Amino acid sequence: MMTPQQQLQQIFTRFVEGQTVFKDRGALTMTFTPVTIPHRDDKIAALGRIMAPALKGERPSNLFVYGKTGTGKTLVTRFVTSELEKVAAANGHKVQVIYTNCKLKKSADTEYRLIATMAKEIGIEVPFTGLPTDQVYRIFFDAVDKQPQNIILIADEIDTLVERNGDEILYNLTRMNSELKNAKLTVIGITNDLSFLDRLDPRVRSSLSEEELIFLPYNALQLQDILRGRSEVAFIPAGVEPGVIEKCAALAAQEHGDARRALDLLRVSAELAERGAETKIGLAHVDAAQEKIDIDRVVETVKAQPRQSQAVIQAILNLAKKTKEVDTGNVFDAYQIVCQAHGLKVLTQRRVSDLIAELDLFGIIHTKVISKGRYGRTRIITLNLSDSIINKLETLLLQVFAG
Ligand SMILES: Nc1ncnc2c1ncn2[C@@H]1O[C@H](COP(=O)(O)OP(=O)(O)OP(=O)(O)O)[C@@H](O)[C@H]1O
Ligand SMILES: [Mg+2]
């Protein structure tokens, strides 16, 4: 047995001597551009072919890229367009890529802000408020059309933009092209919302998706290759025990083949190993990482809920301590008690049922309707959360209701 002092000494020494599994921890962050992009050759080639006309000053088709989260859409699109920019420059053609992530409220909250952000990307300062939207378009349009050039406009997570502002904006952007005299504009829309195109106005849909690229989820073997590529950069040789990569890949493949999830698992595993002053990532670290990521996800979701939903969660947690099968009728009683304790307005039973259904959608609880014979039907709630998540949630809710 080591004394606490010896233990700490070992941690400090290892840290100072640089004993860590990491060689380059940046390689596992989301902003890192990997050196290799395994299993996306076909997408890279397809996108390259669609964009190639820009190298001759012709207009590439507008393109719509879709597929589930973590399938490499952003990575591949940014990679291909930035290579295009470089090759074009070497060939004496001007290609400018403007990338905006529409999910970031700061840059794409409204149509106005999006255009202002895009103008800024090409070096034109537009005040972030105050002008009529028409005029912002005009400024952007003139800046674009000042010279012969290809502008490739990437609107990532485009569904969030349309959700907030309607699809008029896409119409305006795709239409802009027919008015340009010198420049040519291509719009690339990216989304992980698979039903997004169906909800668009057909007119907008047909102009936005002249071409479409679908990214399918990775399988476990493909995820392994992605993880191996990253590990070589990120970790010291022999820093990863056999089976670790396979396990991270398998867990992520179970969810839906999300490379981000796989990389997160590996990164958190490595951080846990490092925190334990160990120089090898083992299978136990992956288990712990999985648990930690789950906890963080549930805690973040609950944190982001409105106060009333938090009261419903509190009520469910209170009941779950007493009985295994929580039914919605009981939740309403327990919810009223929570509201009284914290001075909250009591919503109707119907509203509370809606909130419960919402929590089910978020995956925090699981509800099932069962028949009670002649007593009608009732909804049974189960919590599929581990004890440690429940503990974390209780602490969180204590803080929420105290503050
Ligand atoms: N084939 C691949 N090779 C190496 N890394 C990859 C590959 N595919 C994805 N990644 C990495 O996985 C993470 C997620 O990829 P990306 O951001 O491109 O996903 P996405 O499809 O845009 O997801 P979302 O819809 O959530 O935005 C990134 O860190 C990316 O670098
Ligand atoms: Mg993306």
Side-chain angles (χ1 to χ4, degrees), residues 59-334:
R59 185 185 82 88
S61 301
N62 292 331
L63 166 72
F64 189 68
V65 175
Y66 62 106
K68 287 196 176 161
T69 187
T71 51
K73 300 181 296 296
T74 301
L75 173 65
V76 166
T77 308
R78 297 210 74 172
F79 169 73
V80 172
T81 50
S82 86
E83 290 300 306
L84 179 79
E85 227 172 6
K86 284 186 223 153
V87 175
N91 285 350
H93 275 290
K94 188 160 166 104
V95 172
Q96 282 210 59
V97 179
I98 304 179
Y99 174 88
T100 324
N101 185 336
C102 304
K103 203 173 191 169
L104 302 175
K105 286 225 170 94
K106 209 162 52 120
S107 50
D109 203 11
T110 57
E111 183 163 12
Y112 184 115
R113 227 179 246 273
L114 177 72
I115 307 299
T117 305
M118 293 187 314
K120 204 169 167 185
E121 285 269 318
I122 53 170
I124 309 293
E125 284 295 332
V126 182
F128 257 173
T129 50
L131 302 177
T133 306
D134 285 5
Q135 201 175 333
V136 187
Y137 263 107
R138 182 47 56 195
I139 295 173
F140 178 61
F141 185 93
D142 289 344
V144 165
D145 211 24
K146 216 169 49 200
Q147 53 181 322
Q149 60 175 336
N150 277 88
I151 300 282
I152 316 263
L153 216 161
I154 306 174
D156 203 349
E157 319 232 8
I158 194 170
D159 50 297
T160 55
L161 174 73
V162 171
E163 211 163 275
R164 283 199 291 263
N165 302 291
D167 56 14
E168 187 77 6
I169 181 164
L170 297 180
Y171 180 69
N172 292 338
L173 281 177
T174 48
R175 201 195 46 184
M176 212 171 114
N177 196 58
S178 56
E179 293 166 17
L180 290 167
K181 299 218 163 44
N182 303 308
K184 301 208 163 66
L185 178 75
T186 298
V187 180
I188 303 182
I190 308 179
T191 184
N192 56 31
D193 177 346
L194 302 187
S195 63
F196 173 74
L197 266 190
D198 296 334
R199 297 199 306 271
L200 280 183
D201 180 314
R203 182 180 63 144
V204 178
R205 175 175 179 156
S206 63
S207 51
L208 178 64
S209 61
E210 293 169 338
E211 298 273 358
E212 288 182 14
L213 270 186
I214 309 172
F215 283 57
L216 295 177
Y218 295 111
N219 64 33
L221 290 176
Q222 293 173 326
L223 289 172
Q224 285 180 23
D225 291 333
I226 293 172
L227 291 177
R228 280 204 193 88
R230 293 295 181 97
S231 321
E232 277 163 26
V233 190
F235 304 127
I236 55 173
V240 186
E241 275 179 9
V244 164
I245 302 258
E246 289 78 359
K247 185 160 187 172
C248 291
L251 288 170
Q254 264 168 26
E255 295 209 356
H256 74 249
D258 175 348
R260 186 179 296 116
R261 172 77 175 180
L263 286 163
D264 274 347
L265 266 170
L266 190 59
R267 178 180 49 81
V268 174
S269 305
E271 284 166 2
L272 292 174
E274 181 178 56
R275 216 162 291 165
E278 288 159 79
T279 50
K280 266 185 193 298
I281 308 167
L283 291 173
H285 295 125
V286 181
D287 286 327
Q290 165 93 332
E291 167 96 0
K292 181 171 186 304
I293 290 172
D294 279 345
I295 293 180
D296 291 350
R297 184 159 56 179
V298 173
V299 167
E300 284 312 308
T301 313
V302 172
K303 230 188 221 168
Q305 295 302 311
R307 198 49 56 92
Q308 286 288 348
S309 301
Q310 291 172 336
V312 174
I313 297 169
Q314 180 73 67
I316 296 172
L317 290 179
N318 292 348
L319 287 173
K321 264 187 244 161
K322 292 183 215 136
T323 141
K324 261 185 121 170
E325 291 214 324
V326 178
D327 84 55
T328 36
N330 299 342
V331 174
F332 188 67
D333 297 337

Side-chain angles (χ1 to χ4, degrees), residues 34-55:
V35 193
T36 55
I37 308 182
H39 303 294
R40 283 300 178 237
D41 293 350
D42 56 338
K43 298 294 169 245
I44 293 173
L47 188 53
R49 275 192 285 269
I50 296 170
M51 291 297 131
L55 296 171

